[in-house]
Amino acid sequence: MTASTSDCLSPSDRSDRPPPVRFPYGPHVWKEIAHLLLNLPMALIGFTFVVVALLLGCGLSVTVVGLPLLALSLLGARYLGRIERARARVLLGEWVDEPSPAQAGLRDRGFLPWLWASLKDPVGWRTALYSLVRLPWGVLTFTVVVVGLFVLWPVLPYLVRALANGDRAMVRGLLCPSDELERRIAELESDRGVVVDTAAADLRRIERDLHDGAQARLVALAIGLGMAKEKLTGDFKDPVAAAAMVDEAHGEVKLALQELRDLARGIHPAVLTDRGLDAALSSIASRCTAPVKVTVELTGRPAQAIEGIAYFTVSELLQNVSKHSGARNASVDVWRAGNRLLIKVKDDGRGGARLDGGTGMSGLADRLGAVDGVFALDSPVGGPTTVTAELPWRDREGEHGNTRDHQAGGGAKRAAGVGKTPVRKR
């Protein structure tokens, strides 16, 4: 059998040969052709809507209905932009992030704040501009593609690619979010709502604990002392009964003081304020039903708010270990990586924990997300369970970290053994 010429070529010789000729009318070309042909009808719809709605809204702005109509027109332009972004994703393969949602939440604050936010919405105005400039472009692309299909079909793929690149540039320039600041504002607004809800829930918990615990004991104490006073100073004196009542009141005082200490520890433990995370985490680890190894590698102390969130995160996770995991051993590791505070809590329990499992995991993820943190959970059925949390590191006022900065990815490398799904709240 005679070897072919290609079989005799060495790999280096073969690499110098030109690539094989590819048929120019591939699936991607037909998608681009479909997109360019749809430009004209979509441009007509968008141009007509924008011209009629905006001109009508601007013309009637001297009346009561003009400005609300203009605001609704900009909201409608947003929906046109959403359709155009979806069309670009499907036919052009151009993925553009969705902008932050409209200021619908401002309706709860009143009509005027919502109206003002809608009228100055940059996304709506840029989408309106996109719809205006698309009409002449849609006529051009439709004409070139239709003529090319019948006359210029050998060079049509190259014309289609050039026109499609122009479409991609328009989508990126006018339909993508204006900048990262806009998205960041939306995230902060969402986080602010989480912080407010969390603070309100904490206040309700403190009020309930005070009302049902210490307050009830203090009321019983006042009644007992009043009865003891009657036994000592009344017409029917009974010093023995009065002594018994005073002794019982003394016990109630001790219990009330213990409940107040527990409540104060739940708000912000004194050991955390005085001695930092190492001692505070060792304290809560000693109350866990499973032996816990605590390792804290910090040369400084973070800001009080971050330190408090780290403490309560570990406290909640160790409570889950005690109540739900059935673990025999657990560990807590805390360290700093660059400008991030890393926490990893691991146990050898039964696993199966979920963010929606009713064990407080979702609340922890919300609390960390409110301060630009990350909460990652890995808990296969049968265990082990590993929770990794990241918090932004901010030095305390008047303190500066002496630790040599590492890359923030160092924390991720240390937790690299965790097959986790990160959950961030924006």
Side-chain angles (χ1 to χ4, degrees), residues 200-224:
D202 289 340
L203 288 176
R204 288 194 298 269
R205 176 183 60 82
I206 294 171
E207 180 183 7
R208 182 179 64 251
D209 292 344
L210 284 173
H211 183 271
D212 298 340
Q215 180 180 344
R217 292 194 181 279
L218 291 175
V219 170
L221 172 62
I223 295 174

Side-chain angles (χ1 to χ4, degrees), residues 145-367:
V145 171
V146 170
V147 173
L149 286 173
F150 294 98
V151 179
L152 303 174
W153 62 267
V155 297
L156 181 61
Y158 306 102
L159 294 175
V160 166
R161 175 53 55 89
L163 295 174
N165 286 337
D167 264 314
R168 293 184 177 96
M170 289 186 188
V171 171
R172 286 193 298 265
L174 294 175
L175 295 184
C176 68
S178 57
D179 52 20
E180 188 62 25
L181 179 61
E182 179 185 330
R183 187 173 297 277
R184 184 60 178 158
I185 289 173
E187 293 176 357
L188 291 176
E189 288 178 348
S190 175
D191 292 344
R192 180 182 60 186
V194 172
V195 171
V196 171
D197 293 341
T198 302
D202 289 340
L203 288 176
R204 288 194 298 269
R205 176 183 60 82
I206 294 171
E207 180 183 7
R208 182 179 64 251
D209 292 344
L210 284 173
H211 183 271
D212 298 340
Q215 180 180 344
R217 292 194 181 279
L218 291 175
V219 170
L221 172 62
I223 295 174
L225 289 176
M227 295 174 63
K229 181 180 178 181
E230 289 292 331
K231 295 293 183 181
L232 290 174
T233 61
D235 296 334
F236 303 97
K237 296 181 180 180
D238 189 351
V240 176
M245 291 179 181
V246 170
D247 184 65
E248 183 179 355
H250 184 254
E252 290 290 335
V253 169
K254 290 182 177 179
L255 291 175
L257 288 175
Q258 182 61 41
E259 289 183 356
L260 288 174
R261 288 193 196 98
D262 293 339
L263 181 61
R265 187 181 297 114
I267 298 172
H268 197 82
V271 65
L272 178 63
T273 303
D274 297 337
R275 301 174 57 189
L277 273 175
D278 195 353
L281 296 184
S282 298
S283 175
I284 59 175
S286 65
R287 302 195 294 268
C288 185
T289 57
V292 181
K293 179 182 178 182
V294 178
T295 304
V296 179
E297 299 177 0
L298 298 175
T299 58
R301 295 182 63 177
Q304 291 184 0
I306 299 300
E307 194 175 58
I309 293 175
Y311 172 85
F312 288 111
T313 298
V314 176
S315 177
E316 180 73 21
L317 292 174
L318 291 183
Q319 287 183 28
N320 288 338
V321 171
S322 299
K323 295 178 181 178
H324 307 291
S325 71
R328 292 172 296 179
N329 293 283
S331 63
V332 176
D333 294 293
V334 180
W335 71 100
R336 179 181 177 181
N339 61 347
R340 306 291 284 182
L341 176 66
L342 281 298
I343 302 169
K344 183 165 74 171
V345 179
K346 186 175 181 179
D347 68 77
D348 59 357
R350 63 178 63 95
R354 304 192 314 274
L355 286 174
D356 57 350
T359 56
M361 295 290 187
S362 178
L364 288 177
D366 290 340
R367 177 171 289 191

Side-chain angles (χ1 to χ4, degrees), residues 33-202:
I33 290 175
H35 185 276
L36 295 174
L37 290 176
L38 286 173
N39 275 349
L40 182 58
M42 293 300 299
L44 287 172
I45 295 174
F47 184 85
T48 303
F49 172 81
V50 168
V51 169
V52 173
L54 291 186
L55 288 181
L56 190 60
C58 293
L60 295 177
S61 59
V62 295
T63 66
V64 178
V65 299
L67 292 180
L69 180 60
L70 184 59
L72 292 175
S73 302
L74 292 173
L75 184 61
R78 271 180 166 264
Y79 287 103
L80 288 177
R82 182 181 301 176
I83 295 173
E84 288 295 316
R85 282 187 292 272
R87 192 164 67 96
R89 282 194 296 269
V90 174
L91 298 178
L92 296 181
E94 183 69 29
W95 289 85
V96 176
D97 292 337
E98 292 292 331
S100 57
Q103 304 290 338
L106 291 176
R107 293 177 183 173
D108 298 334
R109 305 181 192 176
F111 175 73
L112 291 180
W114 171 82
L115 178 63
W116 175 245
S118 300
L119 290 176
K120 64 176 186 170
D121 180 21
V123 177
W125 285 109
R126 284 189 285 109
T127 307
L129 177 61
Y130 177 86
S131 300
L132 290 176
V133 301
R134 293 289 290 178
L135 182 59
W137 177 256
V139 173
L140 174 64
T141 57
F142 183 86
T143 303
V144 170
V145 171
V146 170
V147 173
L149 286 173
F150 294 98
V151 179
L152 303 174
W153 62 267
V155 297
L156 181 61
Y158 306 102
L159 294 175
V160 166
R161 175 53 55 89
L163 295 174
N165 286 337
D167 264 314
R168 293 184 177 96
M170 289 186 188
V171 171
R172 286 193 298 265
L174 294 175
L175 295 184
C176 68
S178 57
D179 52 20
E180 188 62 25
L181 179 61
E182 179 185 330
R183 187 173 297 277
R184 184 60 178 158
I185 289 173
E187 293 176 357
L188 291 176
E189 288 178 348
S190 175
D191 292 344
R192 180 182 60 186
V194 172
V195 171
V196 171
D197 293 341
T198 302
D202 289 340

